[in-house]
Amino acid sequence: MTRTVYLNGEYLPEAEAKVSIFDRAFLMADGVYEVTSVLDGKLIDFDGHAKRLERSLNELDMPKPKAFDDLLEIHRELVRLNGIEEGMIYLQITRGAPDDRDFVFPDPETTEPTLVLFTQNKPGLANNPVAKKGIKVISIEDVRWGRRDIKTVQLLYPSMGKMMAKKAGADDAWMVEDGFVTEGTSNNAYIIKGNTIITRALSNDILHGITRAAVLRFAREAQMKVEERNFTIDEVKDADEAFVTSASTFVMPVVEIDGAAIGGGVPGERALRLREIYLEESLKAAV
Ligand code: PDD
């Protein structure tokens, strides 16, 4: 079955959806995005993603596409048209395509934003067998720009980080700035010491994960202590458990960093429990 995607008001077969070579995202990485997961054919935390998207647009002074208020309907229609039970919806908004390359932002009166959405079918996403053995990470220097709270499509360094991890025989990389972990290449990073979850506090240094917000809420409800503070790689090596969160991995245990086993090298019981709670509770609230 060929995938049906959405581009600027139209549902099209993927091969027919074309964007101009002058699009600002293509030339300047001038675009923002969201990834929303789908479980049981329903959207997980749609409102959270829509709010963060609006914030990203505001921070960059990027106009909203005309269809902004119809985004829920568009997500649902793509799920329906592509028969998605488990997977993700990728959404991207760019500052549009003026008729030439120019550093100066185009006039929003004459250049409309580009809006693209497509589905990614991932059967078995909730029951991902990787969660049972956990993932290995390496640490790398965080050399990204200073506004990581905005979800832009400037993903070259995260992409290089994944390649560095792959070369080192690991699955992902945790980034470190001034001696402290910021986040994973495409996820938020946590350690657990005793009954306490430790994760970096929200600031411009990291993406304000939608999964993070939910998981920390569930952790507090489950009587776990949450400390939002900086932590070092030495603390990670010494932790009882570690994990990452994101819309595509939910809660994923981390069992090794830079070749050193964390918590005996197997997924921790608290991380696995948080994964269960997260999946259960977000499914109940899915739309
Ligand atoms: N990435 N930090 C970074 C740098 C991310 O790219 C992501 C998400 C997160 C987690 O945010 P959330 O819980 O809202 O998914 C944290 C998405 C999944 C991606 O780029 O594919």
Side-chain angles (χ1 to χ4, degrees):
M1 187 171 93
T2 176
R3 178 160 47 174
T4 301
V5 304
Y6 175 96
L7 171 63
N8 295 334
E10 285 186 284
Y11 294 92
L12 300 165
E14 62 184 26
E16 285 171 33
K18 304 237 164 77
V19 177
S20 161
I21 61 159
F22 296 114
D23 195 279
R24 296 272 307 179
F26 181 62
L27 297 178
M28 311 262 172
D30 191 358
V32 297
Y33 77 108
E34 283 295 331
V35 176
T36 304
S37 46
V38 179
L39 292 176
D40 274 2
K42 290 192 188 141
L43 301 160
I44 303 297
D45 224 330
F46 176 81
D47 280 348
H49 289 283
K51 281 201 188 88
R52 184 173 62 192
L53 178 64
E54 190 165 14
R55 179 178 180 276
S56 293
L57 292 171
N58 286 338
E59 292 299 307
L60 295 174
D61 210 9
M62 196 182 287
K64 270 189 195 171
K66 281 202 285 278
F68 192 86
D69 293 336
D70 306 327
L71 285 179
L72 175 58
E73 221 173 285
I74 298 169
H75 277 74
R76 283 179 163 158
E77 183 63 0
L78 280 181
V79 167
R80 193 186 68 77
L81 290 170
N82 294 287
I84 307 293
E85 277 299 311
E86 289 191 31
M88 281 99 73
I89 307 222
Y90 177 88
L91 170 156
Q92 182 171 324
I93 298 174
T94 84
R95 208 182 298 273
D99 35 12
D100 202 356
R101 178 176 184 267
D102 190 347
F103 281 82
V104 173
F105 291 175
D107 180 353
E109 295 294 318
T110 49
T111 302
E112 292 213 3
T114 304
L115 172 61
V116 177
L117 288 94
F118 57 82
T119 53
Q120 294 185 288
N121 191 25
K122 304 267 178 201
L125 190 64
N127 266 323
N128 188 350
V130 178
K132 292 190 178 70
K133 60 183 185 60
I135 60 164
K136 298 174 181 174
V137 300
I138 56 165
S139 60
I140 61 172
E141 193 62 30
D142 196 340
V143 303
R144 296 173 300 161
W145 78 326
R147 289 305 307 274
R148 303 158 193 159
D149 56 310
I150 309 173
K151 199 163 172 60
T152 76
V153 298
Q154 303 176 64
L155 296 175
L156 181 54
Y157 189 66
S159 202
M160 289 168 73
K162 297 252 193 220
M163 292 312 293
M164 289 183 239
K166 203 172 160 183
K167 260 195 201 142
D171 305 294
D172 205 351
W174 280 15
M175 294 178 279
V176 176
E177 187 170 57
D178 300 329
F180 297 105
V181 173
T182 51
E183 59 187 335
T185 58
S186 62
N187 41 57
N188 290 116
Y190 310 73
I191 53 173
I192 305 184
K193 195 83 187 135
N195 193 40
T196 305
I197 298 187
I198 300 156
T199 193
R200 195 178 177 105
L202 296 182
S203 71
N204 292 353
D205 299 339
I206 61 168
L207 187 73
H208 302 188
I210 303 305
T211 321
R212 177 189 185 279
V215 166
L216 292 186
R217 192 172 72 243
F218 298 142
R220 287 182 173 114
E221 283 168 11
Q223 315 305 324
M224 292 182 71
K225 227 181 114 208
V226 174
E227 269 179 30
E228 293 180 70
R229 64 159 175 87
N230 286 356
F231 59 92
T232 63
I233 293 296
D234 280 345
E235 281 183 274
V236 180
K237 289 180 178 162
D238 196 38
D240 298 323
E241 299 185 28
F243 65 94
V244 293
T245 64
S246 77
S248 47
T249 60
F250 313 119
V251 176
M252 180 60 71
V254 172
V255 296
E256 192 182 296
I257 187 153
D258 294 335
I262 303 168
V266 290
E269 136 203 352
R270 287 186 166 83
L272 288 176
R273 179 72 194 121
L274 280 172
R275 181 181 175 88
E276 261 173 37
I277 299 175
Y278 177 79
L279 288 170
E280 214 174 282
E281 294 299 319
S282 359
L283 251 176
K284 274 192 220 156
V287 295

